[in-house]
Amino acid sequence: MSPRQATLDQPSRQLRSGGGAAASPAREPLGGGRAAPLRVVHPRRRPERLRPSTAASILAVAVVLVVAIAVVATQALLAQGQFRLATLRASESSAQSAHQRLELQVAQLSSPQRIVWVAQHKLGMVVPNQVTYLQPVTLPRSSARP
Amino acid sequence: MTPSRTAGRRSSRRFQARRRLAVMGGVISLACLLLVGRLAQVQLLGGQRYVAYGSAQMNRVVTLTPQRGPLLDRNGNVLAMSLPVEDVYADPHQVTNASNEAQVLSPLLHVPRPVLLRQLKARTSFVYLARQVSAGVSAAIRAKNLPGINFLPDSRRFAPDGNLALPVLGFTGLDNQGLAGLEYKYNSLLAGKPGQAVMRVNPWGTPITGGLLQMHPAVPGRGLRLTLDTAIQYETEQALSQEIVASHARSGMAVIEDSATGQILSMASLVASPHGSPQPAPSNFPVTYTYEPGSVMKLSTFSGALGAHIITPSTPIHVPSQLVIAGSVFHDAEPHGPEVLTATQVLAQSSNMGTIKIAERLGAHGVSHWIRAFGFGSHTGLGFPGASTGIVRPVSTWSATAIGSTPIGQDTGVTAMQVLDAYNVLANGGVFVPPRLVQGTVTGSRFQPLPPPARHRVVAPWVAATMTQMLRHVATNQGTAPAAAIPGYTVAGKTGTAQKPLTNGRGYIPGAFMGTFVGYVPAQHPVLTAVVVLDRPTPIYGGSVAAPVFAKICGYALRLMDVPPTSTGTSSGTTGAGAG
C-alpha cells in the first residue's frame, strides 16, 4: 500500500494515533457521540518534477538555436562588412585612377611644347632676339653714401 | 511421385539457391571491392588532382597587374607614367547575340564589325576584343551590359610630353615590358611584381561577394628620377631640329652634361623626315651610333704631347702644305703653303699637318695610349642598352699610314658620348667623370639616390688647364668655331669635320661628312659640357653647323641654371625659344 492510499483510507486512525493528537486533549464527538462522516479529501496536485534528461535537451536545443542565430547574424554582418569593404575598395581604386589621370593631365598641361604654343599663339609672346645682362658696377668706397 | 524423388528435387533446388546466393554474393562482393578500389584510387592516389579540379571550378585565380613606376625628370616632372586601363575580352560561349553585340561594340572599340563578329563566334572561351581601352570606353561598354563581354585590369604607358626624349626613355610593349631605352634597361625595377587574388566564383564564373580566399597585392614598380631636364631637353631638340632642316642634314644628335657631376641634362637624337619636321631617331644615337670623329680626336695627341713635355702652347710647329706617309697624301682642309704655327694655333685652326707632326714626336704607342686613356674604345659607364664601345685598333694592327690618320680622327670609331666625356675630362681638371642618366629611384614620395660612379684621373690638372687655355681659341675669330661663342661666357671647345667611310670600310663616301662641335662653358669654371653632331650637313663643317647649335642650347641652359656671365661689363646674346 502506498502512503497516499494510507492517507485516504485511514484518516481517523491517523488522527487518533498521531503523535500531535496524542498530546492535545481529545475533542468530544459532535452530535451526541456520533462520529462525523468521512469525506474524501483530494490530495493537492503538485507539479511533477522534470526529469534531468528532458531539461538538458531543452537547454541544448535553446543553446543550439541561440548559437545558430548568432552564427547567422555574424555571417550576415560579415557579408555586409565585406560588401562594404568591396565597395570602398572599388571607390578607392576609382579615386586613385582619377588622381592618376589628373596627374597625367597636369603633366600634359605643363609640357614645354604646350607652354611655348600657348605663349606664342594665345598670349602673343615672341622670343626676344637678344638677352641683355646687366652687371652691377662696384662703386669706390669714397663715392658710396652712408 | 515417390518421397525419395521429392526429397532429391528439394535438395537440388536448395543447392541451386545456394549457388545463386553464392554467385550473387560474389558479384556484390566484387562490386564492393571495385568500389572500394576506385574510392581508394580517387581519394588516396588521385586526391590532390581531384581537389585541384574542384578548386579550379570553384575558385578563380586573378593575376593583379602591378603599376609600372614613372619616369621623372630631375625636377620631378613626369616624362612617362602608367595609368590603369582595361582590356575587353569575350567568352563566346556566353554570347547570346553575336551579331547585335558586334554591332554595338564596333563603334566603341573602333574595330570593324566583321572582325568582331568572327571573334564573338570563335570556338573558344576567351578572346581579346581590344587591349588597353580608356576608362571612358570601358564604362560605355559596361553600361551596355552585353552577355559574354568582360574586362581585365591592365595599365598603359603615357608620355605627357609626346616624343620628347623618346630614344632615351624608350618604350614598352602591350604587356608593359620595357622594349627599348631606359624602359628596357630598368625594366625589372620599373615593372614591380604581379600580385594574385584567389576568389570563389559561382557556376557562371561571377565572383561571390565575400568569397576572396587569398590576396597577395601587386607590388608597384619603383619610379626613376632621371638627370634630364625637360626644358633643356625641349630646347635641345628644337635647336637640333631647326639645324637639321636648315643644313639639310640626314640626322643629328646633341647631349648636354653637367660638367661636375656627369649628369646628362639633355640627350637628343633626331632624323630628317621628308614629311615635315625631324622625328625621333630609332635608337639613342649618342651612345649607339659609331662614326669617325675627325679633328675632335686631336685632343688625345695634344694632351699626351703636353703631358710628355713634347710641346707647350707656344711651341712652334713647322706645318707643311702636305705630308706623304707610306704613299698616302695628307693635307689640311684648306690649301696653304708651308708655315710655322704655335701648338695653340695648330689646335685652334685644326691643322691636320701640325697634329700629325706632333703625333710623330709622341709616337704610335703614345697616341694609342692617350686615345684609350680618354675613354675611346671602351664603355662610358652609362650602361645604356645597345651602347657601342667604338672602334679603336691596337697599335699592333695599325697600318703604315695610321700614324697620320689616327691622330686626326680617322681609322677610329667613336660615339658622341665618348667624345663628350673625353672633353669633360678637361672640364674637370683632368678627371674622368662617368656620365649618368639616373639620379635615383622613387618609391611614393621617398627618393633613394643611386651612388655616384667612381671617377679616375686621366691627365694632370696642369695639362687640363693648359688644354682649356688652348681650346678657348677655337671659339674665337682666330679659331674654327666662332659661332660657338656665347656672349658673356667663355667657351672652350673643338670642331670636327670627318668623312663618312663606306660600309665596306674601303674608302669614303664622296661628299658625306659628319660635322661635330664639342666644348664646355664657362671655360674658367665649367658648368656645362656639350656635344652636337650632324650627319651630312650642308655646309659640311662642324664649326658652321654644329657650333651654332652648341651656342644656342648651352646659352639657354646657362640662363635657366642662373649661371652668371663671366665676362665683365654689359653683354648680350641671341636666344632660342625657351620653355621655362
Side-chain angles (χ1 to χ4, degrees):
Chain A
M1 186 181 289
S2 67
R4 184 174 157 195
Q5 284 174 327
T7 307
L8 287 171
D9 297 345
Q10 300 167 340
S12 56
R13 197 181 302 165
Q14 274 190 354
L15 284 170
R16 277 188 217 115
S17 62
S24 59
R27 283 179 15 180
E28 283 294 320
L30 298 172
R34 285 181 58 187
L38 291 174
R39 59 186 176 90
V40 176
V41 177
H42 292 285
R44 196 179 289 170
R45 290 194 63 150
R46 290 191 303 173
E48 198 175 339
R49 289 188 66 186
L50 291 174
R51 289 179 191 165
S53 57
T54 310
S57 300
I58 292 168
L59 187 66
V61 168
V63 167
V64 166
L65 275 174
V66 167
V67 168
I69 289 167
V71 167
V72 169
T74 310
Q75 287 295 320
L77 283 174
L78 201 63
Q80 200 177 1
Q82 280 173 334
F83 183 74
R84 189 156 174 266
L85 190 65
T87 310
L88 287 173
R89 276 194 179 137
S91 175
E92 181 202 12
S93 173
S94 172
Q96 276 182 345
S97 298
H99 177 250
Q100 285 167 342
R101 276 198 298 276
L102 289 172
E103 270 188 344
L104 177 66
Q105 204 176 340
V106 167
Q108 284 169 334
L109 290 173
S110 57
S111 71
Q113 52 262 52
R114 182 189 166 275
I115 290 172
V116 169
W117 188 87
V118 170
Q120 291 181 340
H121 294 91
K122 286 197 169 179
L123 303 177
M125 292 183 175
V126 292
V127 180
N129 291 323
Q130 286 192 322
V131 174
T132 303
Y133 298 97
L134 300 177
Q135 294 190 337
V137 179
T138 309
L139 296 174
R141 277 182 179 277
S142 56
S143 62
R145 291 181 180 177
Chain B
M1 190 176 291
T2 59
S4 61
R5 188 176 290 179
T6 306
R9 281 182 182 172
R10 278 182 190 160
S11 173
S12 173
R13 278 183 199 154
R14 211 172 284 150
F15 174 74
Q16 283 179 355
R18 279 184 190 156
R19 200 174 60 180
R20 270 193 231 114
L21 276 173
V23 169
M24 283 305 294
V27 168
I28 289 169
S29 299
L30 189 63
C32 285
L33 270 175
L34 283 173
L35 281 174
V36 169
R38 177 64 180 153
L39 191 64
Q41 186 190 13
V42 169
Q43 292 285 349
L44 302 178
L45 301 179
Q48 296 298 322
R49 192 155 54 99
Y50 289 107
V51 166
Y53 283 157
S55 296
Q57 288 177 357
M58 286 193 301
N59 304 332
R60 187 203 286 175
V61 179
V62 178
T63 302
L64 305 173
T65 310
Q67 186 86 14
R68 192 175 175 84
L71 294 176
L72 310 171
D73 84 341
R74 65 189 297 110
N75 303 311
N77 298 315
V78 176
L79 292 168
M81 67 182 292
S82 293
L83 282 188
V85 290
E86 285 184 312
D87 298 331
V88 184
Y89 76 93
D91 179 354
H93 295 314
Q94 295 183 9
V95 172
T96 51
N97 189 339
S99 176
N100 179 48
E101 292 191 11
Q103 183 76 37
V104 171
L105 290 171
S106 179
L108 291 170
L109 298 176
H110 304 292
V111 178
R113 186 175 170 274
V115 175
L116 283 176
L117 193 59
R118 194 168 59 248
Q119 290 174 316
L120 293 173
K121 287 182 174 178
R123 288 188 171 183
T124 176
S125 58
F126 183 96
V127 59
Y128 276 120
L129 299 182
R131 300 289 305 269
Q132 300 181 343
V133 299
S134 68
V137 172
S138 60
I141 296 171
R142 198 171 262 118
K144 303 285 182 189
N145 204 19
L146 301 171
I149 306 300
N150 300 301
F151 303 86
L152 280 175
D154 201 348
S155 71
R156 184 179 167 189
R157 206 70 166 155
F158 288 91
D161 295 319
N163 288 337
L164 194 76
L166 182 63
V168 181
L169 305 182
F171 51 87
T172 59
L174 269 179
D175 294 324
N176 286 306
Q177 294 292 310
L179 299 179
L182 294 176
E183 295 275 18
Y184 173 76
K185 178 174 167 55
Y186 292 99
N187 185 61
S188 59
L189 200 143
L190 291 164
K193 288 180 183 172
Q196 200 180 59
V198 182
M199 54 182 68
R200 191 144 286 172
V201 293
N202 64 17
W204 298 274
T206 309
I208 298 168
T209 305
L212 186 64
L213 302 177
Q214 273 183 6
M215 178 71 170
H216 299 292
V219 179
R222 280 186 280 172
L224 284 181
R225 189 193 284 179
L226 307 184
T227 60
L228 297 178
D229 184 297
T230 304
I232 299 176
Q233 178 74 30
Y234 175 75
E235 182 64 20
T236 304
E237 290 190 8
Q238 289 297 304
L240 187 64
S241 174
Q242 288 164 10
E243 190 59 43
I244 287 172
V245 173
S247 65
H248 308 290
R250 288 197 172 184
S251 66
M253 50 187 134
V255 185
I256 304 179
E257 191 175 271
D258 183 310
S259 305
T261 63
Q263 295 191 6
I264 294 168
L265 302 175
S266 71
M267 190 178 242
S269 316
L270 298 172
V271 292
S273 168
H275 308 296
S277 58
Q279 298 297 308
S283 72
N284 192 15
F285 279 170
V287 293
T288 60
Y289 190 87
T290 303
Y291 71 104
E292 283 198 359
S295 295
V296 292
M297 186 58 96
K298 290 170 183 170
L299 150 100
S300 307
T301 302
F302 275 81
S303 297
L306 276 172
H309 302 287
I310 292 171
I311 59 166
T312 65
S314 57
T315 301
I317 309 292
H318 294 274
V319 180
S321 56
Q322 63 177 39
L323 273 170
V324 180
I325 300 174
S328 293
V329 180
F330 291 85
H331 54 77
D332 281 324
E334 300 290 336
H336 61 79
E339 56 188 352
V340 177
L341 300 174
T342 64
T344 301
Q345 287 174 319
V346 169
L347 189 61
Q349 295 175 21
S350 198
S351 167
N352 291 338
M353 299 301 98
T355 305
I356 294 172
K357 295 286 278 184
I358 295 170
E360 284 176 335
R361 291 162 69 178
L362 183 62
H365 283 90
V367 171
S368 174
H369 166 77
W370 287 106
I371 286 174
R372 289 191 177 276
F374 274 97
F376 297 109
S378 56
H379 283 296
T380 60
L382 203 57
F384 200 88
S388 170
T389 57
I391 304 164
V392 176
R393 292 177 179 162
V395 181
S396 57
T397 63
W398 277 22
S399 65
T401 58
I403 190 61
S405 58
T406 304
I408 61 172
Q410 294 179 338
D411 282 353
T412 309
V414 303
T415 64
M417 201 64 223
Q418 289 175 326
V419 174
L420 176 70
D421 288 330
Y423 279 81
N424 199 41
V425 167
L426 303 181
N428 279 286
V431 175
F432 180 88
V433 179
R436 297 174 68 185
L437 263 171
V438 179
Q439 283 186 339
T441 60
V442 178
T443 311
S445 57
R446 195 164 59 88
F447 173 65
Q448 179 80 34
L450 291 181
R455 305 171 174 209
H456 64 271
R457 179 163 289 284
V458 177
V459 294
W462 70 268
V463 173
T466 309
M467 281 296 293
T468 298
Q469 285 295 328
M470 295 167 76
L471 290 170
R472 284 170 65 168
H473 294 271
V474 174
T476 65
N477 288 330
Q478 289 77 44
T480 53
I486 304 171
Y489 302 91
T490 312
V491 173
K494 185 72 192 81
T495 55
T497 305
Q499 280 184 284
K500 289 190 74 174
L502 290 164
T503 49
N504 61 12
R506 299 180 181 278
Y508 291 91
I509 304 169
F513 290 84
M514 298 288 286
T516 305
F517 184 85
V518 58
Y520 43 97
V521 60
Q524 298 90 335
H525 303 287
V527 174
L528 300 173
T529 308
V531 63
V532 180
V533 184
L534 286 148
D535 182 3
R536 298 198 193 190
T538 305
I540 61 171
Y541 300 109
S544 305
V545 290
V549 178
F550 172 92
K552 201 171 185 178
I553 60 179
C554 285
Y556 172 79
L558 287 168
R559 286 193 296 279
L560 192 73
M561 296 169 74
D562 294 328
V563 179
T566 51
S567 305
T568 55
T570 303
S571 58
S572 62
T574 55
T575 67

